[in-house]
Amino acid sequence: MRRRPGIAGLKSAAAARDQYRLVGENVARIRADVMKEQLETFRTQLEDFARKHKNDIRKNPTFRSQFHEMCAKVGVDPLASNKGFWAELLGIGDFYYELGVQIVDICLSTRSHNGGLINLQELCSLLCQRRKVAREAVTEDDCLRAISKLKVLGSGFEVISVGKKKLVRSVPTELNKDHNEILEVAQAQGYVTIEELEKRLSWSSGRAIDALETLLKEGLAMIDDGHRDGKRRYWFPCVASIFSAPGSDGFRSL
Amino acid sequence: MQRLGNFKLPQFFNFPPFFTLQPVKETREKQVQVWKQLLLDYCRSQKIFVIGLEEDFPLFSNPVIENFEKYFNEKLCDGLLGSLSHEAREVFLSALISEGHAEWMDKDHRKCLMLWFRLQEWADYILNFVKDNGLQDGVMTIEEMRSGTETHGTADTLHATFSIIQELAGIDRGLLLRVLRLLEQKGKATIFKGTSADDDGVKFSV
C-alpha cells in the first residue's frame, strides 16, 4: 500500500489494520468453536459410554482393563485427577486409591518376613482376602495400576520382573542384576546354595557370596543350615511358594 | 494348615530357615519374636508348664520339613533338618526369660518353667477367682485349686469363674505354691500345712 501523506492517510492505514485484525479474530474464534464442539461431542460420547457401562467397569476386571486401554489410546487418564468428571462419574479414582492404600498396608505388614519384596500373585491374593466384603474382583492388572499411582509419592514402590514372576518392591533397596539373577534361580525351590549359583550362573564363589550377603543384610533372605552336606541354603520368602499359598494367614497377626 | 493335636500351627513353622538361628540382627529379632509367641501359645493351650531342652518337644522339630526333603531328594537327611539346635532352643527360651515369661529351673539350663502368665499375673488371676467366688476368708486346699472342679458362685459369675478355673486347672504345683507365697507376702493369703501334702491349704483374706 502506498503510504499517502497527511492525517487522512494515517487514519485509513489504522482502519485497514483494524479490519484485518477483526477478520483474523473471527477465523480464530470459528476454529476454536469447532474444536470445542468436537471436544464436547467426544466428551459426551465417552461419558455416555462410561455411564452406560459404569457397572461393567466397576465389577468386571477384564472390561475395566479394556476401558483403561481405550482411554490410554485417546490420551485420557481417568486416574489423573480425583476431581474430574471421571471420579464423580465412576468413583474410579477412589477405587484405585483404596487399592493403593491396601497395597501399602499389606506390603508393610509382610515386610518383616519378606524384607519388602513380595510376589505380585501373593499380594493380589492377600488383597482379595482383605476385600472379601467389597465383592469386587481385583486382578493383577488393577494392582499394577494402583502401584503405578503410588510411584507419585516417591515412596519407592516399584514392580520388578524376575524371570516369569513379578515382584513388588516396597523398600528403597536397589537390586542389581546379580540379585535379580539369584532371585530367578531361587524361584524353582524357594532357595539357592552357593554351589548352585556357581554352577547355574558360572559365577565365582566370591561373587555369589557377596551378592547373597547383601540380600541377607537387606532382610530379603534367610539361611538354613540344617543339612548334613553342610551346604547353607539361602531362602527367599518373596519367591518361596510356602508363603503364597491361598489362605495363608501366618503373618497377619504380627 | 498343619495342626498339632488341636493346636493350629503358624505358617512359618513349615519354612525351614526358621529352624536356623539367623545371623542378621533384624531378621533374628523377628525370628525370636515369632518363636516366643508360638512357644507361649502352644504351652498355654496344652498346659505344658515345663520344657526339657534335651527332650523331645513337638515344637522343636517339624517332621513335615524332613519328609518333604526326603520326598524330593530320596535320601536320608540330617537330624537337624527342620529342627532346632540346642543353641537355638536356648536363645528362644532366654528371650522369654528376659520378659518374665519363663524361668530356668536348674543351673545347667536343661529345664525351663513356662509362664504365659507372669507370676504377678497369676497372683492377680487367683485374687479375681477368690473375689468372684466369695471365697474371702474361706479355706481351700492346694489340690482343690489345681483340680479345677470348684464351682462356687452365682449364675452371673459362673461363666467368668469357669474360665479362671480352666486356667488354674492342672497348674504346676510348685508354681501355684510360689504364687500363693507371693500373695502371702502381700498379706492377702495364709498358707498352712496339712497332715499330708494333699491337705496343704490356703486361706484368703482379700
Side-chain angles (χ1 to χ4, degrees), chain A residues 34-171:
Chain A
V34 171
M35 284 288 280
K36 255 188 211 158
E37 211 172 291
Q38 276 177 348
L39 266 177
E40 194 59 42
T41 324
F42 173 69
R43 222 180 91 128
T44 36
Q45 294 284 332
L46 209 53
E47 271 185 60
D48 278 349
F49 178 83
R51 202 172 281 130
K52 207 162 135 197
H53 300 284
K54 188 172 165 181
N55 274 339
D56 286 327
I57 292 171
R58 273 206 193 148
K59 297 266 157 66
N60 183 344
T62 327
F63 196 90
R64 187 159 58 230
S65 88
Q66 279 166 354
F67 178 71
H68 275 296
E69 237 169 72
M70 190 183 79
C71 286
K73 271 191 192 132
V74 295
V76 174
D77 183 2
L79 294 181
S81 157
N82 202 23
K83 289 206 184 85
F85 78 101
W86 292 109
E88 285 158 32
L89 197 64
L90 300 172
I92 205 165
D94 288 341
F95 173 78
Y96 284 102
Y97 296 133
E98 198 181 301
L99 270 193
V101 171
Q102 285 165 340
I103 286 172
V104 173
D105 204 40
I106 289 171
C107 285
L108 286 180
S109 67
T110 55
R111 190 178 281 179
S112 60
H113 87 264
N114 60 26
L117 207 54
I118 189 171
N119 189 347
L120 182 62
Q121 265 179 336
E122 185 190 351
L123 176 66
C124 202
S125 76
L126 285 174
L127 204 54
C128 287
Q129 276 174 37
R130 170 175 272 234
R131 295 172 59 86
K132 245 178 222 154
V133 231
R135 284 189 178 278
E136 285 164 18
V138 177
T139 60
E140 291 183 11
D141 180 70
D142 291 326
C143 288
L144 290 176
R145 266 174 219 290
I147 291 165
S148 75
K149 293 294 145 192
L150 289 176
K151 259 187 209 161
V152 184
L153 300 173
S155 55
F157 271 80
E158 199 186 20
V159 181
I160 54 174
S161 294
V162 173
K164 275 172 276 167
K165 283 186 185 169
K166 284 202 168 69
L167 302 177
V168 179
R169 183 171 65 88
S170 59
V171 282

Side-chain angles (χ1 to χ4, degrees), chain A residues 235 242, chain B residues 2 9-17 19 62 64-65:
Chain A
W235 285 83
I242 190 164
Chain B
Q2 200 186 342
L9 287 162
Q11 195 100 32
F12 82 83
F13 199 65
N14 280 341
F15 200 51
F19 289 83
N62 183 0
V64 170
I65 292 178

Side-chain angles (χ1 to χ4, degrees), chain A residues 112 191 216-217 219 221-228 232-233 235-237 240 242-243 245 248-251 254, chain B residues 1 8 10-12 14-18 20-24 26-27 30-31 34 69 73 76-78 80-81:
Chain A
S112 60
Y191 67 86
L216 263 186
K217 270 198 207 90
M222 293 179 84
I223 56 161
D224 170 22
D225 282 339
H227 300 271
R228 183 179 281 172
R232 174 171 282 190
R233 292 181 180 184
W235 285 83
F236 295 89
I242 190 164
F243 282 114
S248 69
D249 57 355
F251 281 86
L254 290 181
Chain B
M1 183 61 57
K8 193 178 158 206
Q11 195 100 32
F12 82 83
N14 280 341
F15 200 51
F18 275 95
T20 298
L21 278 176
Q22 295 301 309
V24 177
E26 286 81 16
T27 319
K30 205 67 229 173
Q31 182 188 25
V34 292
E69 188 69 18
N73 288 337
L76 213 63
C77 296
D78 195 301
L80 262 187
L81 183 67

